[in-house]
Amino acid sequence: MYTQALNTADAGERTIEDAARSAQFQARIDAEERIEPNDWMPAAYRRTLTRQISQHAHSEIVGMLPEGNWITRAPSLRRKAALLAKVQDECGHGLYLYAAAETLGTSREELVDLMLAGKANPTLTWADIGVIGWLVDGAAIMNQIPLCRCSYGPYARAMIRVCKEESFHQRQGFEIMLTLSRGTEEQKAMAQDALDRWWWPVLMMFGPPDKVSQHSDTSTKWKIKRFSNDELRQKFVDATVPQAQFLGLTIPDPGMKQDADGHWIYSDIDWNEFSAVLSGNGPCNRERMAARRKAHEEGAWVREAAAAYAAKRKQRQLAQAAE
Ligand SMILES: [Fe+2]
Ligand SMILES: [Fe+2]
């Protein structure tokens, strides 16, 4: 699963020297220069990005767990191969992002320890795998394309490859939906049911509405964020409605109308549900985090073996150098 940033507040700069450096830093941002790991940056910029990139990484890792569960139940070899590739991509996305977050000075171990509960909804049928690809990865693309131009170099570069892979994920999901919606009555009902359950959670993925989002200002000033939550959400809705129409599925928002500019106006979002999920009370949070912890513990031998191999190699190189 992927979320828009929920940034921390700026603590302000402490010294006169920092104020001068901050002005210089802002001038570089305004000139569309990239900030690199060894460059000076305000502490709040570092904190905001560490939080945003690590949350993004966690969501890639936690998000692949329910999809991984469906690999053995995919309805054909072709679907299995595509889902396997997608899950592997998500794991890679987590890896690139942890690597980008590490360049800001927090170790991978610390980041993994801090892994927060991602937004978690159950995946009840095969159609959920279709909807996740179509809508969740589709929303991720909307969020992530502007991040390719983020002011922090390592994050922006990681996003370029991630976005190419997300586009494959979106297509594999849409193709599943297309097959189901052209299938039997039962398959159509399954597709509609999955859309009904995922539509609102996906709209929430874009983060709180602009009028209550407190931290957007600094992120916009620092060019971490290029569009507001509501702008991205609207782009997503406008792109998705015609796709749902093509599939012959109904978006579970009966009041939806197009305005004079062609934008689809959606009903109010129930943000109470969003805060419940964020505070870890989502339907599957506990289960999914337990699965995540188990996977981490079961992978301990791989990390130990890799560390032992690296140590042995280093020793061998030192011995060779001494000869
Ligand atoms: Fe991803
Ligand atoms: Fe994806």
Side-chain angles (χ1 to χ4, degrees):
M1 189 68 72
Y2 317 79
T3 57
Q4 182 88 322
L6 298 156
N7 304 318
T8 48
D10 188 340
E13 299 311 320
R14 275 181 210 92
T15 63
I16 297 169
E17 191 192 355
D18 275 358
R21 281 164 146 179
S22 271
Q24 246 171 19
F25 173 83
Q26 190 59 49
R28 289 189 58 196
I29 301 251
D30 292 342
E32 296 286 335
E33 270 181 51
R34 283 275 154 81
I35 307 302
E36 296 299 334
N38 290 330
D39 297 345
W40 185 88
M41 61 186 87
Y45 178 85
R46 188 185 297 276
R47 261 199 318 274
T48 300
L49 274 165
T50 304
R51 189 177 156 101
Q52 175 166 340
I53 303 173
S54 61
Q55 275 183 352
H56 190 166
H58 303 337
S59 68
E60 300 281 356
I61 300 292
V62 175
M64 78 180 170
L65 295 170
E67 294 180 289
N69 278 336
W70 279 92
I71 293 172
T72 52
R73 291 178 284 170
S76 69
L77 184 60
R78 185 164 165 265
R79 294 282 188 231
K80 194 191 289 265
L83 185 59
L84 198 62
K86 179 190 192 247
V87 169
Q88 196 175 15
D89 285 351
E90 304 299 9
C91 181
H93 297 174
L95 190 69
Y96 311 152
L97 288 162
Y98 281 125
E102 275 187 311
T103 66
L104 291 158
T106 310
S107 75
R108 176 102 42 118
E109 288 73 15
E110 281 172 83
L111 293 170
V112 170
D113 285 345
L114 286 173
M115 193 185 283
L116 300 166
K119 178 155 174 28
N121 283 299
T123 47
L124 301 180
T125 67
W126 174 248
D128 287 53
I129 300 303
V131 169
I132 290 176
W134 173 36
L135 298 183
V136 176
D137 292 89
I141 295 173
M142 258 339 153
N143 267 330
Q144 291 173 173
I145 293 259
L147 287 173
C148 296
R149 294 186 293 130
C150 162
S151 62
Y152 190 57
Y155 193 23
R157 288 189 289 272
M159 277 306 115
I160 294 170
R161 174 155 175 191
V162 167
C163 283
K164 286 186 183 150
E165 291 171 348
E166 293 306 349
S167 137
F168 152 66
H169 302 168
Q170 205 265 352
R171 279 155 205 233
Q172 69 93 36
F174 189 77
E175 207 200 53
I176 291 172
M177 295 309 283
L178 192 59
T179 306
L180 291 175
S181 66
R182 303 285 184 266
T184 63
E185 283 309 312
E186 211 181 343
Q187 285 173 316
K188 275 185 226 170
M190 197 161 97
Q192 182 62 53
D193 172 61
L195 173 59
D196 291 347
R197 285 180 290 106
W198 283 92
W199 175 252
W200 293 105
V202 167
L203 290 196
M204 290 180 205
M205 271 176 59
F206 291 91
D210 295 349
K211 55 178 190 297
V212 300
S213 172
Q214 324 147 26
H215 306 305
S216 288
D217 292 356
T218 39
S219 285
T220 306
K221 186 179 89 182
W222 286 330
K223 301 201 173 164
I224 296 171
K225 210 166 170 170
R226 302 266 176 176
F227 296 98
S228 76
N229 295 354
D230 285 337
E231 280 170 338
L232 289 170
R233 189 167 14 241
Q234 189 62 56
K235 275 173 189 259
F236 173 79
V237 171
D238 290 343
T240 307
V241 171
Q243 293 169 0
Q245 286 170 339
F246 183 77
L247 291 172
L249 297 175
T250 311
I251 289 180
D253 184 358
M256 252 183 153
K257 278 195 296 282
Q258 246 178 328
D259 70 8
D261 302 319
H263 296 303
W264 285 95
I265 308 303
Y266 49 90
S267 306
D268 286 343
I269 296 171
D270 178 5
W271 291 103
N272 291 332
E273 193 192 321
F274 179 75
S275 7
V277 173
L278 271 193
S279 53
N281 296 324
C284 295
N285 278 359
R286 221 160 307 133
E287 205 182 295
R288 203 157 292 172
M289 290 318 291
R292 172 64 210 129
R293 262 189 295 271
K294 187 162 165 267
H296 189 70
E297 280 156 22
E298 286 175 354
W301 70 274
V302 179
R303 293 189 295 277
E304 279 161 24
Y309 177 71
K312 214 162 104 184
R313 232 180 110 173
K314 200 170 164 196
Q315 249 174 6
R316 202 180 305 140
Q317 277 166 347
L318 284 174
Q320 271 170 357
E323 273 169 18

